[in-house]
Amino acid sequence: MRQPAAHLGMPPDLYRVIGTLEIAAAAGLLLGLASTPRGVAAAVVTLAALAHVGVAAAAG
């Protein structure tokens, strides 16, 4: 875990937090199957986070 975090230029603790948030996003998407507005919100937030990580990775 330390090596991928170092590759992205972030501390391991932040890398762990991002992983936890990714798991929460997946849970939100699954809950969205039962509640459409929550699923849409979870999808939008997840895509925004992934886009931000992609831009950061491409820049650095």
Side-chain angles (χ1 to χ4, degrees), residues 1-8 10-20:
M1 179 178 74
R2 292 180 193 270
Q3 194 172 23
H7 174 73
L8 293 174
M10 65 177 66
D13 290 341
L14 179 59
Y15 197 73
R16 246 183 239 119
V17 168
I18 290 172
T20 302

Side-chain angles (χ1 to χ4, degrees), residues 9-57:
M10 65 177 66
D13 290 341
L14 179 59
Y15 197 73
R16 246 183 239 119
V17 168
I18 290 172
T20 302
L21 292 174
E22 288 176 344
I23 292 170
L29 291 172
L30 289 174
L31 289 173
L33 295 174
S35 172
T36 302
R38 288 183 182 156
V40 170
V44 168
V45 171
T46 301
L47 288 175
L50 290 173
H52 175 71
V53 170
V55 169

